[in-house]
Amino acid sequence: ADIKIGSVLAVTGRASFLGDPEDKTLRMYVERINAAGGLLGQKIELVVYDSAGDAAKARTFATRLIEEDGIIAMVGGSSTGETMAMIPLFEEAKIPFISLAGGIVIIEPVKPYTFKTPHTDRMACQKIYGDMTARGISKIGLISGSGGFGKSMRKQCLSAAKANGIEVLADETYGPKDNDMTPQLTNIRNTAGVQAVLNPGFGQGPAIVTANFKQLSIDVPLYQSHGVASRKYIELAGDASEGVRLPASALLVAENLPDDDPQKSIVVNYKKAYEAKWNEPVSTFGGHAYDGLFILAEAIKRANSLEPGKIRDEIENTKGFMGTAGLVNMSASDHLGLDLTAFRMLEIAKGEWTLVK
Amino acid sequence: MTLLRVEEMSIEFGGVHAIEDLSFVIEPGAIHSIIGPNGAGKTTLFNLITGLYRASRGRIMFEDRDIGGQPPHRLARLGLSRTFQNLQIFFRMTAIENVMVGRHLHESRNVLAHLLRLPAVVRQNQRTSAKARELLDFVGLADDADVAAGAMPYGALKRLEIARALAVEPKMLLLDEPAAGCNPVETQEIDHLIQQIAKTGVTVVLVEHDMRLVMNVSTHILVLDAGRKLAEGSAAEVRANPAVIAAYLGAQGQRELARAQG
Amino acid sequence: MSEFLQFLFSGITIGAVYAMVALGFTIIYSASDVINFAQGEFVMLGGMCTVFLAAAGVPLPIAALLAIVITAGVGAALCKLAIEQARGASVVALIIITIGASVFLRGIAQVVFDKQLHRLPAFSGEQPILIGGATLLPQSLWVLGGAGVIVIALHRFFRRTLFGKAILAAAQNRQAARLVGININLVMLSSFALSAAIGALAGILVTPITLTSYDVGTMLALKGFAAAMLGGMGNPVGAIVGGLLVGVAEAMGAGYISSDYKDAAAFLIILAVLSFLPQGLLGARIRERV
Amino acid sequence: MLRVEGLTSHYARVQALKGVDLEVGAGELVALVGGNGAGKTTLLRTLSGVQPASGGKVYFDDTEITRQAPHKRVRLGIAQVPEGRQVFGHLSVQDNLRLGAYLRRDKDIQDDMDRMFAMFDILSKKRYLPAGSLSGGQQQMLALCRALMARPRLLLLDEPSMGLAPVLVDQILDAVATLKKQGMTILLVEQNAYAALSIADRGYVLETGQVALSGPANHLLNDEQVKKAYLGI
Amino acid sequence: MAALRQPRTGGLLVLAAIIAVLPFLLPNAYYFDVVILVGINALVVVGLNLLIGYAGQISLGHAGFFGLGAYASAVLPARFDIPPLAALVLGAIGVGLLAVVIGRPILRLKGHYLAVATLGMGLLIFMLLSNEQDLTGGPDGMAVQRLTILGYKLHGVHTWYWIVGGALLTGTWLALNLIDSPTGRALRALHDSEIAAQVNGVDVVRHKLTVFVISAVFASLAGSLSAHYSGFITPNSAGFLHSIELVTMVVLGGMGSTFGGIVGAAVLTALPQFLTVFHEYEHAALGLIMMVCMIYLRDGLLPSLRQRLHWRRS
Ligand SMILES: Nc1ncnc2c1ncn2[C@@H]1O[C@H](COP(=O)(O)OP(=O)(O)OP(=O)(O)O)[C@@H](O)[C@H]1O
Ligand SMILES: Nc1ncnc2c1ncn2[C@@H]1O[C@H](COP(=O)(O)OP(=O)(O)OP(=O)(O)O)[C@@H](O)[C@H]1O
Ligand SMILES: [Mg+2]
Ligand SMILES: [Mg+2]
């Protein structure tokens, strides 16, 4: 029999930004693994369902994966909401579940069968605050998307602010499908003392925020989140994106990494493969799926068994795994395994990502 | 006691004085006809009396009570019911269900009981449907009880509206052109029906252009023209009034009347 | 003051987009009593077709023109293949059909195009215009101008031309319209094509500001529908007024109250207006005659 | 001019016409009488094409038009005054008339419109008001005028006197008689059988979807059966 | 026997029979899960059908009530220590009251104006649920405590199957009762002609409000059940798309046909599960099916099928 691996992704809908590249990555690499002889001598069969970002749908599909399709492991769950709705099912069925969503609640507190690959929002906030402090910025304005991603990161950034010596003077939001943020930005501009603006969010919002930022000629630095970490963002925001900074994985600057960077070969290969196959720029989200799939594949190899329990144990034992997000070292108390070094601070210059030294 | 008293009532629609300074009374037990040229304001008057429109001036007293500004369903409770010139049938319901709606005021309105289908509700449904069947029989539609109203011919619908209006058990029944679209034989049936209704003690207010019917059944006639009272009196008085002949009856009206009598 | 002006500019620009979507609703409603929830997809098609044609090397003006023609064709097809076949269905059934059409078009678009966001270059540069301390993008003027031209043209069309009146007549009484010789199918077809074309034009004009992707239609349809109802369904001027009001309410809500609840501001205004004017601001106020 | 052979028509499962044969010659005024639900309206609707025929044939000027679309029939010269008036309520009186001449392209439309306003003064007074605000009788006049604006060769009238004040019944029937004198071909459905047969050349009696009786109008007027069933004498 | 032939009693018995037999035919928990979701949606649809199908008043915001019910069951126990069962009841009462307050002004509106007002109402509720992050967890949603009845924790698809089945049967019974009562007749009457209904003594405002409240309470209860069943909720359950889905179920199944609505809920809930075979064409297929159904079965699945059967027989 084939090795059945399941996935539920927001391939369409509001979060298709996440789900679509994840879906493409999984399909591409399962094909590759199978072409190279599969795992433990067996082919992988990947079952992907599209939740359209709806937690209720995700839950039903998860049941279907467990009961009907009989999967032995799961890589998926694009958003925190979907993931949280599915966790109890996988925990109950004792099937390992590697989530691709950002929320810290997924792995905190630790649940035996649940893991995740992306950095947490909190780490992104810390990285950004670190960079701000280095530039002498301590008072900022916040404008966040009101979708799941923006909301969750906003919360983390607000709660992490104090400890990092940052004061949030303005706190604005916008809807996921909004197409004009000048009123919110005007309010931030008119707030005295704002030294920089931070925009957690993904999708079209950040691109429009960036354009509006330029339109209003606000002359403080603009920080984006890892939510816009794809070439598309530069393309959409155009010239307005000059000088914007954001934390992201090494993936985006693959070619610019020094040759001795241990991550370079991984990210360059993934990037090349993805862009060749799908004819569109990579995003870090696809990378999360890559990491998830290979953490699982390695664990299966190490376990040398298709028993979910054994696979789980081996996932937890993942050490020194180099993925697109960074170096992963999991443990019984850490089901993520990344640290702050995984994030690189990038700045857009002349329409290209560059590493901030 | 007068049943209905209208005092100096007016209403206008964007400059059109549909009813202007109109006063009249209706005595109980009458068959009170209201006639007048097209656009004289007859239907508007009905709409005012039954609470669908609100007069801009004047008073309406029903059984010596001021009913101005009351919503139609309150007026129905006081004993006012009507039919419509442009049919207002419940097309998605069967004939008998249409009439059953007319019994609404005579049924309990306890929604909780309805939801739980308490035995009292079941018994009441039976009573209502029996009464409705009786009324359908009365207007000559006994065979059509379970026919969807949407599939009934125009003439039948006119009578269905009468049955529904009667189900309210009104003191005063307002009929807006019940014989329109009926041939003379059918009109005679309506004539008969109106007289029977009047016999049960219901006061009938009739708007109709068929002069044979009007002159035959009315105990009293009010003639409107351009929202004002043109004439009033018994059939014979009205018929002989030159103003009425000029404005309304014309040669055709007189000819019909002549045929009706001859 | 400058901040008020900024909110106003922002509201008017976005309002003009809603207004154009509302116009599309109004035209189809006028002709056929159908509320076409696929109207937002017409906007999407206009933007996406232009983006992809331009990417394929077609010069922008020609790409835009082609996009309008294609979208009008889709509108006509929707009418011919769905609405016409469903003749006699209830209003709600027709709403479901148009929602189905919107799901269908979105589903096809995500395969034919892609799921990425796209933008078009601004027509006349991106250098903001400074007025009284507030800034306005030149593209906003294009949007406003486009909406203005369309509404004037439509107003004339319905008031002055026989065909325009025939459309209104067909909406009010289909049977009588056929009896005076109006070809109902043609009237419906034209109105769908026309409102699809207007939707497409709106899509092209706004893409440089708002970006486009296969799924921009849903939200635009919602706001456009709300705007059309606020202005009074069936009245092109009402659609414009409604669209601008919704846009300005949103911008003011976001600016002065809370950006979390800015959509609430728009809908609260709609609820308030409707509770005083149940036919919308400029809707026909003919009382039912019985 | 008009020939109908074995015409049948259905509403869902109800058969409203069960094989009607009928003829109207050029310049004739033919009256169609019958009780409620006899199928008169259905027949006229089938003739003008808004109601599909399920069987039988309709010829106009010897060409078959059974399956033609309504607007094509209007072009051929068939106009109908529908039962229950059916004016365009939100449009002005004037626009209603103008739409009556929808398919005409000649220069006389304005003249014709003035003639209509001359015929019914009240319409002239209300020409800019929405037709929906007219009283029932006024709408009936408007519906008649709207049909005439098409300059039809065959006019189908469905109960034009319904709901009209006696003076206006006079006026309408006079107008119909005048139109006939001017050479128009008319098929008239009327409940007021007496009045209709008085001005008609010939008549048909329709009963439950079939022609029960037909003949010259004055014969029908004196027919005992007709007298009893439809004239109420 | 005669009672059996009545659509009411007959239909109820058929529904009860299906609910009783189904568990023996379902191979595994996945199928139970889908059937339970069908039941929950059907419960909303039965109530919504009273409003849309019978009284002719459209609502594009009913998912809002569903969402409020769901969040009442999630938030009250988690943040205010109210027992889940009490939360469920409190939620239903709260939603009922809210429906009265909202319904009063907006039910005066007609047709599409009512549609836009209810749409606005739904959006406001959705916004509230996704913005009040501290209370509701925001767009990422929140976990829901298990429902405990008499100290017995309800879990497992089998238990939930019977709970939802019972709720649906009861809801259907109540709805059928209402329809065949003076209230039901008044609702159908005002659908066809408000004026005639008024003149016949029907207090149109009160009846519209009554049915609005009843349908809102149905939605709230279904929302609570859904929250407890899935154990996790997000504001999407109150979103516009869900509202549209619910209305589509009513119309697709057959407006004014209670059992039709249940069929509509079943079809539309299960359909996406089948459509996964179309992969990227899944959405296009769903749209196409919606259109084709409404074009060719415009009275809705059940009434249209019934008509065809009749046709064949006669
Ligand atoms: N809702 C309304 N809006 C505008 N005008 C109205 C309205 N209702 C009535 N009118 C006007 O008021 C006048 C009286 O109309 P009404 O319908 O009462 O006449 P009527 O006497 O019933 O005529 P008919 O015998 O033709 O039915 C008419 O001029 C009509 O146009
Ligand atoms: N829309 C409809 N649906 C179903 N049946 C209909 C419909 N319209 C008419 N019918 C049926 O068709 C038959 C003929 O109706 P039609 O309206 O042609 O009669 P009519 O002679 O014009 O009657 P009236 O004098 O009342 O106008 C009647 O039995 C009627 O019930
Ligand atoms: Mg009248
Ligand atoms: Mg007729």
Side-chain angles (χ1 to χ4, degrees):
Chain A
D2 292 349
I3 302 175
K4 279 207 175 182
I5 295 178
S7 187
V8 177
L9 300 167
V11 184
T12 59
R14 275 184 185 175
S16 65
F17 234 75
L18 302 171
D20 191 45
E22 287 162 356
D23 178 46
K24 286 175 170 160
T25 301
L26 288 182
R27 286 182 197 284
M28 176 170 78
Y29 278 98
V30 165
E31 211 171 277
R32 288 186 166 213
I33 293 173
N34 285 342
L39 281 180
L40 309 182
Q42 295 180 25
K43 295 255 174 335
I44 298 179
E45 187 188 335
L46 176 71
V47 188
V48 183
Y49 294 121
D50 174 13
S51 70
D54 181 343
K57 283 211 181 88
R59 190 182 181 288
T60 300
F61 281 125
T63 314
R64 184 167 174 179
L65 286 171
I66 297 166
E67 297 284 339
E68 183 76 1
D69 301 316
I71 58 163
I72 56 154
M74 159 92 175
V75 179
S78 303
S79 67
T80 308
E82 289 164 87
T83 301
M84 292 308 288
M86 294 189 287
I87 285 176
L89 298 172
F90 288 106
E91 288 294 334
E92 193 163 331
K94 299 203 186 319
I95 288 176
F97 172 21
I98 305 180
S99 167
L100 312 180
I104 196 165
V105 284
I106 296 171
I107 44 148
E108 229 168 62
V110 173
K111 301 161 198 74
Y113 283 84
T114 309
F115 305 85
K116 79 181 216 99
T117 57
H119 322 91
T120 64
D121 309 331
R122 192 174 194 91
M123 291 161 73
C125 298
Q126 284 165 343
K127 185 83 186 174
I128 292 169
Y129 288 160
D131 190 63
M132 287 176 170
T133 312
R135 290 168 100 183
I137 294 169
S138 63
K139 297 191 165 70
I140 65 163
L142 199 58
I143 175 165
S144 18
S146 62
F149 183 94
K151 271 258 149 97
S152 151
M153 179 157 169
R154 169 181 169 272
K155 201 170 165 193
Q156 296 301 328
C157 286
L158 283 176
S159 75
K162 198 150 213 173
N164 288 274
I166 298 283
E167 193 181 340
V168 178
L169 298 180
D171 180 16
E172 297 279 336
T173 63
Y174 57 85
K177 284 280 162 207
D178 281 4
N179 29 37
D180 183 68
M181 286 59 150
T182 42
Q184 292 95 319
L185 288 171
T186 304
N187 281 344
I188 293 181
R189 186 182 63 180
N190 294 351
T191 307
V194 169
Q195 295 168 311
V197 176
L198 169 57
N199 175 204
F202 70 68
Q204 68 193 52
I208 294 174
V209 166
T210 310
N212 290 163
F213 200 79
K214 163 106 184 288
Q215 180 195 338
L216 294 175
S217 357
I218 303 177
D219 56 1
V220 296
L222 174 62
Y223 282 85
Q224 289 289 349
S225 69
H226 53 305
V228 300
S230 77
R231 257 217 78 75
K232 198 79 203 173
Y233 165 72
I234 301 185
E235 203 180 288
L236 294 173
D239 291 346
S241 64
E242 275 308 291
V244 169
R245 286 190 179 193
L246 56 91
S249 67
L251 184 55
L252 290 186
V253 282
E255 279 92 359
N256 303 14
L257 292 175
D259 284 335
D260 60 351
D261 192 309
Q263 214 180 339
K264 182 157 184 173
S265 67
I266 299 279
V267 290
V268 166
N269 285 340
Y270 169 62
K271 186 172 179 216
K272 279 198 181 132
Y274 187 93
E275 292 182 348
K277 166 115 184 167
W278 302 107
N279 198 20
E280 63 182 39
V282 279
S283 67
T284 39
F285 316 121
H288 301 323
Y290 172 94
D291 296 352
L293 181 66
F294 281 96
I295 288 176
L296 176 64
E298 307 265 297
I300 291 177
K301 275 191 215 151
R302 286 198 303 274
N304 197 16
S305 153
L306 295 183
E307 215 176 285
K310 294 209 174 114
I311 298 172
R312 185 216 85 88
D313 295 344
E314 285 306 328
I315 296 175
E316 197 170 75
N317 282 337
T318 302
K319 290 277 181 310
F321 172 87
M322 185 55 84
T324 63
L327 191 64
V328 180
N329 289 308
M330 298 221 192
S331 70
S333 60
D334 182 3
H335 277 192
L336 167 64
L338 290 168
D339 61 25
L340 263 190
T341 61
F343 267 127
R344 324 267 167 139
M345 186 51 73
L346 307 183
E347 181 173 309
I348 299 167
K350 301 202 187 70
E352 293 294 336
W353 304 109
T354 52
L355 276 168
V356 176
K357 298 281 158 354
Chain B
M1 183 181 72
T2 33
L3 188 60
L4 184 87
R5 176 186 296 279
V6 168
E7 292 172 2
E8 291 166 6
M9 190 165 65
S10 301
I11 186 172
E12 46 282 313
F13 299 104
V16 179
H17 293 268
I19 293 288
E20 209 176 348
D21 228 357
L22 183 67
S23 307
F24 66 95
V25 296
I26 292 176
E27 302 298 338
I31 299 183
H32 194 116
S33 287
I34 299 174
I35 61 174
N38 295 109
K42 305 177 295 293
T43 300
T44 304
L45 182 59
F46 271 22
N47 288 344
L48 284 164
I49 295 174
T50 53
L52 296 176
Y53 292 171
R54 220 174 159 148
S56 58
R57 257 161 298 127
R59 287 209 299 174
I60 313 178
M61 316 282 288
F62 186 70
E63 293 186 319
D64 291 338
R65 192 178 341 182
D66 192 338
I67 58 167
Q70 295 232 32
H73 66 267
R74 284 276 166 68
L75 298 178
R77 178 162 312 193
L78 295 179
L80 275 166
S81 182
R82 70 176 284 188
T83 65
F84 297 88
Q85 182 176 6
N86 295 337
L87 288 178
Q88 298 288 317
I89 291 289
F90 308 133
F91 281 107
R92 271 167 276 220
M93 301 169 84
T94 61
I96 193 166
E97 286 173 330
N98 266 272
V99 183
M100 286 170 84
V101 173
R103 298 296 299 161
H104 189 76
L105 287 173
H106 304 275
E107 300 176 294
S108 106
R109 265 154 297 143
N110 180 346
V111 180
L112 210 59
H114 295 170
L115 273 172
L116 297 173
R117 199 178 175 78
L118 300 182
V121 176
V122 178
R123 281 197 302 275
Q124 187 181 56
N125 272 346
Q126 283 160 356
R127 276 201 306 276
T128 303
S129 104
K131 178 77 189 173
R133 220 168 269 282
E134 219 172 85
L135 285 166
L136 282 175
D137 197 26
F138 180 68
V139 299
L141 292 176
D143 296 337
D144 292 336
D146 296 313
V147 176
M152 289 168 72
Y154 188 78
L157 293 179
K158 291 240 133 187
R159 276 182 283 168
L160 180 59
E161 273 207 340
I162 296 178
R164 188 179 66 190
L166 285 175
V168 179
E169 295 182 14
K171 293 180 188 144
M172 183 163 115
L173 174 66
L174 299 93
L175 302 173
D176 200 349
E177 305 202 15
C182 294
N183 68 35
V185 175
E186 291 158 347
T187 306
Q188 278 170 8
E189 290 167 18
I190 300 268
D191 183 326
H192 182 68
L193 194 58
I194 293 176
Q195 306 220 21
Q196 269 189 302
I197 294 169
K199 237 179 256 159
T200 62
V202 176
T203 306
V204 178
V205 187
L206 175 68
V207 165
E208 183 52 66
H209 287 303
D210 188 312
M211 282 308 109
R212 295 169 66 189
L213 174 60
V214 170
M215 296 299 166
N216 197 29
V217 299
S218 313
T219 54
H220 192 89
I221 300 178
L222 168 69
V223 189
L224 293 184
D225 187 20
R228 292 169 168 279
K229 190 192 290 181
L230 184 69
E232 197 172 9
S234 69
E237 286 163 8
V238 165
R239 195 163 61 205
N241 186 324
V244 178
I245 294 175
Y248 181 65
L249 290 174
Q252 161 79 12
Q254 289 183 308
R255 198 162 62 231
E256 269 201 37
L257 286 175
R259 282 207 304 129
Q261 275 142 20
Chain C
M1 194 54 216
S2 82
E3 84 185 352
F4 174 81
L5 216 54
Q6 188 63 56
F7 299 158
L8 193 67
F9 287 167
S10 158
I12 288 179
T13 307
I14 225 65
V17 183
Y18 298 156
M20 278 195 269
V21 182
L23 276 177
F25 273 105
T26 281
I27 293 168
I28 289 180
Y29 178 78
S30 296
S32 58
D33 255 340
V34 174
I35 295 282
N36 173 33
F37 276 102
Q39 189 64 34
E41 270 58 43
F42 294 155
V43 180
M44 177 271 287
L45 282 177
M48 292 294 268
C49 285
T50 313
V51 166
F52 275 74
L53 286 168
V58 182
L60 196 59
I62 297 176
L65 209 64
L66 276 176
I68 293 178
V69 172
I70 292 171
T71 311
V74 171
L78 171 63
C79 175
K80 200 85 202 155
L81 301 178
I83 307 296
E84 209 174 279
Q85 308 299 322
R87 187 173 302 138
S90 67
V91 174
V92 196
L94 283 169
I95 289 188
I96 302 294
I97 289 176
T98 63
I99 291 177
S102 120
V103 174
F104 175 73
L105 288 175
R106 221 178 308 141
I108 291 292
Q110 90 191 23
V111 182
V112 172
F113 304 121
D114 59 17
K115 289 181 213 129
Q116 306 279 325
L117 285 164
H118 298 278
R119 66 173 274 170
L120 286 171
F123 297 178
S124 40
E126 314 212 358
Q127 197 51 49
I129 306 164
L130 204 72
I131 305 169
T135 57
L136 186 66
L137 288 176
Q139 190 66 26
S140 302
L141 295 179
W142 279 94
V143 177
L144 285 169
V149 168
I150 291 173
V151 74
I152 291 170
L154 275 182
H155 199 68
R156 301 208 146 216
F157 175 65
F158 282 123
R159 282 285 160 88
R160 301 276 167 81
T161 69
L162 190 60
F163 192 62
K165 283 174 188 167
I167 290 184
L168 297 180
Q172 282 166 42
N173 192 324
R174 183 174 288 265
Q175 179 181 321
R178 298 171 81 195
L179 287 175
V180 300
I182 295 171
N183 183 347
I184 293 283
N185 290 345
L186 185 68
V187 161
M188 297 247 295
L189 200 69
S190 337
S191 70
F192 269 82
L194 180 64
S195 81
I198 292 179
L201 179 63
I204 296 164
L205 290 176
V206 303
T207 300
I209 308 182
T210 64
L211 312 180
T212 190
S213 68
Y214 78 101
D215 63 349
V216 292
T218 319
M219 207 58 196
L220 283 177
L222 277 190
K223 297 277 176 68
F225 174 51
M229 303 312 293
L230 175 61
M233 200 46 140
N235 183 335
V237 181
I240 293 288
V241 172
L244 292 178
L245 266 180
V246 170
V248 171
E250 274 182 21
M252 296 292 166
Y256 286 121
I257 305 166
S258 145
S259 35
D260 270 351
Y261 288 100
K262 73 178 188 35
D263 285 350
F267 276 98
L268 284 175
I269 287 194
I270 289 173
L271 290 181
V273 167
L274 289 186
S275 58
F276 291 107
L277 299 168
Q279 309 287 319
L281 288 170
L282 299 173
R285 255 181 289 280
I286 287 200
R287 263 203 268 184
E288 212 176 332
R289 295 271 270 117
V290 287
Chain D
M1 177 178 274
L2 177 78
R3 189 151 47 84
V4 176
E5 290 173 2
L7 192 66
T8 61
S9 186
H10 293 257
Y11 291 99
R13 272 164 289 151
V14 185
Q15 182 166 15
L17 296 181
K18 302 172 180 160
V20 174
D21 298 301
L22 172 147
E23 242 176 271
V24 184
E28 255 192 322
L29 195 172
V30 174
L32 191 61
V33 298
N36 275 143
K40 308 180 293 293
T41 300
T42 310
L43 177 58
L44 291 203
R45 282 165 49 86
T46 317
L47 292 181
S48 57
V50 289
Q51 161 82 18
S54 48
K57 293 202 158 60
V58 181
Y59 296 93
F60 187 66
D61 287 342
D62 292 323
T63 41
E64 196 194 325
I65 56 164
T66 322
R67 305 255 168 267
Q68 238 167 35
H71 62 272
K72 296 211 174 120
R73 302 192 201 199
V74 175
R75 205 183 285 282
L76 291 176
I78 302 179
Q80 179 173 347
V81 179
E83 181 180 57
R85 313 184 261 273
Q86 322 253 355
V87 296
F88 303 121
H90 295 253
L91 295 179
S92 70
V93 168
Q94 184 169 312
D95 284 347
N96 268 270
L97 291 181
R98 181 62 191 83
L99 282 168
Y102 182 69
L103 291 177
R104 281 172 59 185
R105 292 285 173 269
D106 52 299
K107 304 232 154 28
D108 305 340
I109 295 178
Q110 194 53 48
D111 292 348
D112 278 6
M113 210 183 292
D114 292 339
R115 211 165 311 142
M116 299 302 153
F117 284 138
M119 183 156 56
F120 297 109
D121 188 40
I122 183 77
L123 294 184
S124 166
K125 279 191 200 137
K126 300 199 167 203
R127 66 202 295 168
Y128 300 117
L129 294 180
S133 72
L134 299 186
S135 78
Q138 294 160 354
Q139 292 186 9
Q140 185 67 56
M141 297 173 214
L142 179 57
L144 176 64
C145 292
R146 185 180 62 190
L148 290 177
M149 285 300 293
R151 287 207 172 165
R153 294 198 296 128
L154 172 65
L155 182 64
L156 308 174
L157 285 165
D158 200 348
E159 304 201 24
S161 76
M162 183 161 110
L164 288 200
V167 246
L168 287 170
V169 176
D170 263 2
Q171 231 177 313
I172 294 261
L173 291 179
D174 282 351
V176 173
T178 312
L179 290 170
K180 180 209 150 39
K181 271 200 210 98
Q182 291 166 354
M184 187 171 288
T185 313
I186 299 169
L187 180 56
L188 170 67
V189 167
E190 251 305 335
Q191 288 292 5
N192 192 337
Y194 184 84
L197 289 173
S198 308
I199 57 168
D201 300 315
R202 291 190 301 118
Y204 288 85
V205 176
L206 211 58
E207 262 171 30
T208 56
Q210 278 168 314
V211 175
L213 210 60
S214 65
N218 49 355
H219 282 200
L220 291 180
L221 268 179
N222 292 319
D223 185 288
E224 279 309 314
Q225 225 179 311
V226 175
K227 273 188 179 171
K228 227 172 103 204
Y230 299 109
L231 303 178
I233 311 179
Chain E
M1 237 11 238
L4 266 184
R5 221 151 314 121
Q6 265 194 327
R8 265 182 57 78
T9 338
L12 268 180
L13 285 178
V14 171
L15 182 64
I18 291 177
I19 293 176
V21 171
L22 215 50
F24 300 101
L25 304 176
L26 298 178
N28 60 40
Y30 160 60
Y31 290 91
F32 274 91
D33 183 78
V34 173
V35 172
I36 289 168
L37 292 185
V38 167
I40 290 173
N41 280 328
L43 186 58
V44 188
V45 168
V46 165
L48 195 56
N49 209 342
L50 291 174
L51 180 72
I52 299 180
Y54 289 95
Q57 309 297 312
I58 186 111
S59 167
L60 297 183
H62 249 58
F65 296 132
F66 180 91
L68 284 179
Y71 272 91
S73 284
V75 174
L76 295 182
R79 311 264 195 266
F80 303 99
D81 271 338
I82 293 172
L85 205 56
L88 178 142
V89 175
L90 278 178
I93 293 173
V95 164
L97 290 176
L98 182 72
V100 173
V101 174
I102 298 178
R104 234 170 231 295
I106 70 176
L107 285 170
R108 293 189 313 144
L109 302 172
K110 302 230 153 67
H112 302 306
Y113 291 93
L114 180 60
V116 98
T118 48
L119 177 98
M121 172 199 83
L123 281 181
L124 291 179
I125 294 175
F126 173 78
M127 260 181 266
L128 201 73
L129 295 179
S130 43
N131 283 334
E132 294 310 310
Q133 205 169 359
D134 295 336
L135 215 54
T136 64
D140 281 340
M142 69 183 289
V144 190
Q145 283 180 18
R146 289 223 181 282
L147 189 57
T148 35
I149 290 179
L150 307 172
Y152 178 71
K153 270 199 182 180
L154 301 177
H155 75 116
V157 283
H158 289 271
T159 319
W160 274 101
Y161 177 87
W162 294 114
I163 293 174
V164 170
L168 178 60
L169 202 59
T170 315
T172 310
W173 178 69
L174 292 173
L176 291 173
N177 288 348
L178 191 74
I179 292 157
D180 186 26
S181 79
T183 303
R185 283 190 291 275
L187 294 176
R188 291 159 67 200
L190 70 86
H191 187 178
D192 282 330
S193 168
E194 280 191 24
I195 290 181
Q198 281 179 314
V199 165
N200 283 284
V202 175
D203 184 342
V204 167
V205 178
R206 198 187 72 121
H207 275 90
K208 281 191 199 171
L209 202 58
T210 305
V211 71
F212 191 62
V213 170
I214 291 176
S215 65
V217 170
F218 268 60
S220 168
L221 290 173
S224 289
L225 289 181
S226 138
H228 284 300
Y229 166 64
S230 46
F232 192 87
I233 50 170
T234 65
N236 280 343
S237 62
F240 170 68
L241 290 179
H242 191 207
S243 287
I244 290 290
E245 232 170 29
L246 293 170
V247 174
T248 307
M249 287 170 187
V250 172
V251 181
L252 193 70
M255 287 205 293
S257 158
T258 301
F259 294 106
I262 298 176
V263 172
V267 170
L268 226 61
T269 310
L271 203 56
Q273 300 291 329
F274 294 114
L275 292 183
T276 51
V277 299
F278 287 104
H279 296 298
E280 73 245 51
Y281 288 100
E282 183 184 328
H283 294 267
L286 178 66
L288 205 59
I289 290 174
M290 278 168 72
M291 286 163 76
V292 170
C293 283
M294 287 328 299
I295 291 171
Y296 295 105
L297 303 171
R298 64 188 54 166
D299 294 328
L301 294 172
L302 201 61
S304 296
L305 288 179
R306 207 181 280 155
Q307 240 171 39
R308 301 235 158 143
L309 281 180
H310 255 277
W311 194 275
R312 194 137 331 138
R313 247 185 262 152
S314 63

